[in-house]
Amino acid sequence: MASNSSPSNSNTTIPVVATLPAYEIPPLAQDGSHCLTRKPISLWPGMFHSPVTQALWEARSQMFERLFLDPPIDAPPQSELLDKTPSQSRTTILYNFSTDFILREQYRDPWNEVRIGKLLEDLDALAGTISVKHCYDVDTTTRPLLLVTASVDKIVLKKPISVDIDLKIVGAVIWVGRSSIEIHLEVTQSTEESCDNSDSLALSANFIFVARDSKTGKAAPVNRLSPETEREQMLFKEAEARNSLKKRTRGGQKREFENGEINRLETLLAEGRIFCDMPALADRDSILLRDTRLENSLICQPQQRNIHGRIFGGFLMHRAFELAFSTAYTFAGLVPCFLEVDHVDFLRPVDVGDFLRFLSCVLYTEVNPDQPLITIEVVAHVTRPELRSSEVSNTFYFTFTVRPEAKAMKNGFRIRNVVPATEEEARRILERKDAQALLSTAVVSK
C-alpha cells in the first residue's frame, strides 16, 4: 500500500506564463487605465508562427500603428503616388543557426535540414513586409492599404539547406503594376569552402501581392517603382514579361488550346479506361490518379491569423506542403526531396473559424531514372456545412524527387506512371503540363 507521503500523491501547481513579450499587458497610467502603447491584443497576429514571422510582423506593425491605435474614420486614401526604388524596400533576415541552438531546433527536420514548410511561412511574411515598406505613406492623415498575397509564381530549391549553417534571406520589390506588386526573394547559405555568391544561392522565390483599399476593399493604386541598377532593371523587365504572359494565357489562347486537345485527352484516358473496365489487364507500372489521394481538415484558429485578422497565407502554404510531402512519400515509398513550388493561387481569403479541407493527389510523374519527378496538386476548400457549400480558396503545385541516399538503398527503384480515370482529371493534367511548358519556353526565350 502506498504511503500518503508518496510524491505521486502530492499536489503541485505549475504556473504557466506567456513567453512572448510583444503581448505583455501595457503598464497602468496614473488614472489606473492601461496605456495603449500597443494595439489591442485582439488585433495582434496569431501567436503560433515562426520566430522570424513574429519578428517581421512586429516590425511591420509599427508602420500600421496609426491604423490600429487611432483608426481614422473618414481618412482619405493616398492622394499622390510616390516614386520608390527597390533599395527602399530591400529587407534582409539572418538566421544564426550556427550559434543559436534554440532557433536551430525550431527549424530542424529529421534529415538535419531546414523545414521547408516553416521557411515558406517566413518567405510569405517577408514578402508581405517588403510590400508594406513599398506602399508605406508617411502621411499619417491617409488610410493605409491592405496588402494580401495573390499568388506565388515559383519557388525553386537550388540545393539542400543545412540547419547547422547560418542562413540569409534578402528580398525587394522588383516590379509593380497599378495595384499589384512582385517581390523577389533569395535564400543564401555559404560556407568557407563556398564563398562564391552563385554557389551560395539555395532558394529563389517570387511573390505577387495586391493592394486593397482598407475601407472599400477595392483594388487600390500603389507607389511607382524606379529601378536603378542594371540587375534591378533586368529583374523589372523579366517580371514585366511574366505579367504580359499571364494576361495572354488568360485571354483568347485558351479556346484554341481546348479545340486542339481531343487527341491528347483520348491518349491520356486510354490507359485509365483499362483500369476501370479491365483492371486485371492494366499496366502494373501505372496507377489511377484517384488512388494517390490524401486529405486532411482543420478549423482555422485565431492563433493562425495575420495582422489583418485573416488566416496567414504562409500558414496555408506550410500545411499544403506537409500534405504534399506525405502524398509524395506514400506514393514513391521512399523519402521525397522537395524541388520547387510551381505555382500557388490565393483565390479567396480564409477567415478565422473557417472549416478548411486540403485535398492532394499525384497529378503526374516524369519517369527519369536519374531524377524521377513527382508533381503534387493540393487544393484547399473552405467548407460551410450549414450552408452546404464548398469553395476553392487555394491551389498549390509542388514538385518532388526522391532522396538520392534513399534511392541508392532500393535497387531497381522506379516510380509509377499516373493515369486519369475521368476527362476532368485529364484536363487538369494537360493544363498544368502546358502551363509548365509555356513558362519554360518563356524562360528559354529571354
Side-chain angles (χ1 to χ4, degrees):
M1 185 179 226
S3 168
N4 289 336
S5 61
S6 171
S8 62
N9 292 332
S10 61
N11 187 355
T12 304
T13 301
I14 301 176
V16 178
V17 296
T19 57
L20 297 174
Y23 295 88
E24 290 175 355
I25 299 175
L28 290 174
Q30 291 182 350
D31 61 358
S33 62
H34 285 290
C35 299
L36 281 181
T37 55
R38 296 184 184 274
K39 56 183 173 288
I41 194 168
S42 61
L43 294 178
W44 271 95
M47 298 185 186
F48 294 140
H49 299 301
S50 77
V52 168
T53 296
Q54 205 67 50
L56 285 166
W57 283 346
E58 168 76 11
R60 196 192 309 180
S61 70
Q62 296 173 9
M63 294 184 238
F64 276 103
E65 203 75 14
R66 70 181 189 274
L67 174 65
F68 290 109
L69 291 184
D70 187 21
I73 299 175
D74 296 316
Q78 183 176 348
S79 58
E80 186 175 348
L81 297 179
L82 307 175
D83 287 307
K84 296 283 191 78
T85 63
S87 60
Q88 288 178 281
S89 65
R90 187 166 289 116
T91 307
T92 301
I93 296 175
L94 180 63
Y95 299 74
N96 294 308
F97 287 141
S98 62
T99 57
D100 192 332
F101 173 78
I102 295 176
L103 184 66
R104 191 161 66 239
E105 285 304 303
Q106 288 178 303
Y107 282 83
R108 185 191 302 277
D109 74 4
W111 302 277
N112 209 44
E113 295 174 357
V114 169
R115 289 179 60 187
I116 296 297
K118 289 183 75 71
L119 191 60
L120 293 177
E121 281 197 29
D122 294 348
L123 290 170
D124 185 62
L126 176 57
T129 297
I130 290 169
S131 66
V132 168
K133 288 176 70 174
H134 178 80
C135 295
Y136 183 59
D137 180 15
V138 293
D139 186 354
T140 57
T141 63
T142 61
R143 58 177 180 262
L145 299 175
L146 297 181
L147 294 149
V148 296
T149 313
S151 65
V152 180
D153 263 4
K154 211 171 186 64
I155 299 177
V156 181
L157 184 69
K158 308 287 186 180
K159 66 176 184 178
I161 304 176
S162 171
V163 79
D164 295 319
I165 304 171
D166 290 348
L167 190 71
K168 183 169 71 173
I169 308 179
V170 180
V173 174
I174 61 168
W175 176 86
V176 298
R178 181 186 177 276
S179 60
S180 56
I181 307 164
E182 182 165 345
I183 299 100
H184 179 69
L185 305 169
E186 291 187 347
V187 179
T188 56
Q189 185 176 65
S190 58
T191 61
E192 293 180 0
E193 293 78 18
S194 118
C195 54
D196 181 52
N197 287 335
S198 61
D199 292 336
S200 67
L201 180 63
L203 182 146
S204 62
N206 287 72
F207 283 72
I208 310 295
F209 276 67
V210 293
R212 296 283 181 263
D213 188 289
S214 57
K215 183 178 180 180
T216 66
K218 296 180 179 179
V222 297
N223 291 325
R224 297 176 291 269
L225 185 69
S226 299
E228 295 179 307
T229 68
E230 185 176 336
R231 185 169 187 272
E232 289 171 355
Q233 292 170 357
M234 178 193 71
L235 290 173
F236 185 92
K237 290 178 181 177
E238 290 177 354
E240 185 76 42
R242 283 193 297 272
N243 185 65
S244 299
L245 180 62
K246 287 179 193 173
K247 289 180 178 178
R248 289 201 305 272
T249 54
R250 283 197 297 260
Q253 292 186 358
K254 178 92 175 196
R255 183 175 297 277
E256 181 182 345
F257 165 77
E258 290 179 347
N259 290 338
E261 71 181 352
I262 302 302
N263 291 337
R264 299 171 67 202
L265 281 172
E266 288 297 323
T267 302
L268 269 178
L269 286 167
E271 185 63 28
R273 291 196 183 99
I274 296 175
F275 266 94
C276 297
D277 299 338
M278 298 173 285
L281 302 179
D283 184 1
R284 297 301 98 185
D285 290 328
S286 297
I287 186 173
L288 287 176
L289 183 150
R290 68 189 182 199
D291 293 332
T292 69
R293 290 172 178 162
L294 289 182
E295 174 182 350
N296 63 27
S297 305
L298 60 99
I299 300 297
C300 297
Q301 304 294 340
Q303 293 80 11
Q304 296 147 3
R305 69 189 183 275
N306 59 20
I307 62 173
H308 302 307
R310 285 183 156 150
I311 299 304
F312 171 41
F315 169 79
L316 300 175
M317 282 199 292
H318 188 169
R319 292 301 296 259
F321 173 82
E322 299 289 351
L323 181 60
F325 185 95
S326 301
T327 305
Y329 199 173
T330 56
F331 172 76
L334 293 175
V335 177
C337 178
F338 168 74
L339 293 179
E340 66 180 41
V341 178
D342 183 51
H343 188 77
V344 179
D345 280 319
F346 291 81
L347 303 175
R348 69 176 302 280
V350 181
D351 294 317
V352 172
D354 279 349
F355 174 31
L356 195 63
R357 298 175 63 214
F358 289 93
L359 308 174
S360 69
C361 70
V362 179
L363 197 59
Y364 61 89
T365 60
E366 294 181 33
V367 187
N368 184 332
D370 295 328
Q371 189 183 55
L373 300 180
I374 307 168
T375 297
I376 308 292
E377 177 191 67
V378 181
V379 182
H381 298 257
V382 172
T383 303
R384 292 187 170 84
E386 65 275 14
L387 300 177
R388 297 195 300 172
S389 69
S390 181
E391 294 181 272
V392 174
S393 61
N394 307 83
T395 57
F396 309 83
Y397 297 96
F398 300 90
T399 302
F400 294 87
T401 186
V402 294
R403 298 183 74 89
E405 63 272 22
K407 189 173 66 170
M409 296 174 62
K410 196 170 183 179
N411 292 331
F413 169 78
R414 179 183 174 89
I415 60 171
R416 299 168 80 177
N417 185 42
V418 176
V419 295
T422 66
E423 184 174 317
E424 185 269 336
E425 291 174 350
R427 285 182 180 274
R428 280 160 50 200
I429 293 172
L430 289 180
E431 286 173 3
R432 178 65 355 220
K433 282 186 173 182
D434 286 352
Q436 181 73 1
L438 191 61
L439 181 60
S440 299
T441 303
V443 171
V444 170
S445 63
K446 285 190 300 191

